[in-house]
Amino acid sequence: MQALDAIGSLPSIFLSSVAPPLSIAVVGYLLGRVREVDTDGLSAAAIYVLLPALVFETLVTLTADLETVTAAVAAMVGFTFAMGVLALGVGRLRGRNGPVAYGAAMAAAVPNAGNFGIPVTSFAFGAVGRSTAVLFVLVQNVLLHTLGIYLLSTGGDGDAYVDGLRRVLTQPVVWALVAAGLATALGLVPPEDGTAMETLRLLGNASIPVFLLILGLQVESMDLAATVRETLPTVGLKLFVAPVVALAVALLVNVGDPTVTAAFVVLAAGPAAVTPLVLSVEFADDDDAPVSTADYVGTVVFLTIIGSLPIVTGLILLAELGVLG
């Protein structure tokens, strides 16, 4: 009877946790169909203003203890490397090398913790879910803009690695992290009900619908071409293996907080992130490849957006039943 009740609650979970952010992304998609929208301005506002505000406000009001945060970050790094190595191994077995192989690994290892994960975990798990997603975004930004750029650039060019480090240091999100750490350590955090924090909270909350509009606009502009069959192994890893690896890593690291654990697994089960696609366009030198790294990663992003919805809904159900975490 309990199993039947749980299955019967799936539509309710989808409507309350997944459908709201999905509907905003659909609005972005429809907007892109009827009007030509330049996403550069929206992306710049989200990256340089809204996301840093969200990161700072979330971190200085974080209620989780340092041990839980440290364990969660360790789980996120461990998951990313485990999935990356696994995807590279599958690529090698299929004869894939060079930028395409690394792009596929990043697509499998880096879930969309930002414009998909933050809204979904916020709806599903509240402030704890949002904080977990923000931490994941920070971890991903550091890994992608250092190791990711280095691997995508042909021959491991040292200049590209230096450029990657420079990009990290110019990311407002990183400086928001530093500012939050200093403010907390020095006791300079503004009052939570004061004007400064209310303003930051307003900006941070605005990032969620903007992220989703950008996601919808990006999906509308994608060209899937003939890469669907080529990308199916990577899509399978992202949809079906990633949640299992995430749960195993979380249990191995012992995150402790069951809500953080559940939010982390749900985030890992989300669609592939868009950032590896952006980095592939800029840094992958694969003009002679049958399928470009950008086309490959873009197709994985599109297919996992569709395929992850029932999986994420099911995992949220398991979390509500107390099975996950």
Side-chain angles (χ1 to χ4, degrees), residues 52-74:
L54 176 64
V55 168
F56 182 87
E57 189 271 334
T58 299
L59 292 182
V60 297
T61 58
L62 197 62
T63 56
D65 58 272
L66 181 61
E67 184 178 352
T68 299
V69 172
T70 303
V73 171

Side-chain angles (χ1 to χ4, degrees), residues 3-303:
L4 291 176
D5 291 340
I7 294 173
S9 66
L10 277 172
S12 175
I13 292 172
F14 179 83
L15 290 174
S16 62
S17 299
V18 180
L22 178 62
S23 64
I24 300 174
V26 170
V27 170
Y29 175 85
L30 295 175
L31 177 61
R33 296 288 293 177
V34 299
R35 291 200 61 172
E36 184 176 345
V37 180
D38 183 7
T39 59
D40 289 347
L42 280 175
S43 298
I47 292 171
Y48 288 98
V49 180
L50 304 182
L51 182 58
L54 176 64
V55 168
F56 182 87
E57 189 271 334
T58 299
L59 292 182
V60 297
T61 58
L62 197 62
T63 56
D65 58 272
L66 181 61
E67 184 178 352
T68 299
V69 172
T70 303
V73 171
M76 292 165 186
V77 173
F79 164 80
T80 303
F81 276 94
M83 284 300 300
V85 170
L86 183 59
L88 276 176
V90 171
R92 292 286 188 268
L93 291 175
R94 302 178 64 230
R96 300 292 179 266
N97 295 288
V100 172
Y102 292 123
M106 283 189 281
V110 182
N112 194 329
N115 50 9
F116 179 89
I118 291 175
V120 169
T121 52
S122 296
F123 278 104
F125 305 108
V128 174
R130 189 178 76 165
S131 300
T132 305
V134 169
L135 283 176
F136 215 162
V137 170
L138 290 170
V139 170
Q140 290 175 345
N141 267 280
V142 172
L143 292 177
L144 285 172
H145 286 94
T146 52
L147 184 60
I149 291 176
Y150 177 72
L151 293 175
L152 281 174
S153 58
T154 57
D157 186 352
D159 290 338
Y161 186 65
V162 171
D163 186 59
L165 292 175
R166 189 181 300 114
R167 281 171 172 266
V168 171
L169 295 177
T170 58
Q171 290 296 310
V173 169
V174 175
W175 289 107
L177 171 63
V178 174
L182 289 175
T184 303
L186 299 176
L188 299 176
V189 177
E192 193 166 344
D193 57 352
T195 303
M197 289 299 291
E198 286 292 339
T199 303
L200 286 171
R201 190 174 297 114
L202 183 64
L203 286 170
N205 288 339
S207 69
I208 294 175
V210 171
F211 285 156
L212 290 165
L213 288 173
I214 293 171
L215 178 61
L217 289 166
Q218 287 170 332
V219 170
E220 191 280 328
S221 65
M222 282 181 187
D223 182 10
L224 295 181
T227 58
V228 171
R229 183 184 300 177
E230 177 72 15
T231 60
L232 287 180
T234 304
V235 172
L237 284 174
K238 181 70 202 69
L239 293 178
F240 304 114
V241 178
V244 178
V245 171
L247 182 58
V249 170
L251 294 176
L252 182 64
V253 173
N254 189 21
V255 172
D257 189 314
T259 305
V260 173
T261 300
F264 167 58
V265 175
V266 168
L267 286 166
V274 177
T275 305
L277 171 60
V278 176
L279 296 180
S280 296
V281 171
E282 186 166 354
F283 290 99
D285 184 9
D286 54 4
D287 293 336
D288 299 329
V291 177
S292 72
T293 304
D295 285 347
Y296 191 105
V297 176
T299 303
V300 173
V301 171
F302 177 78
L303 294 179

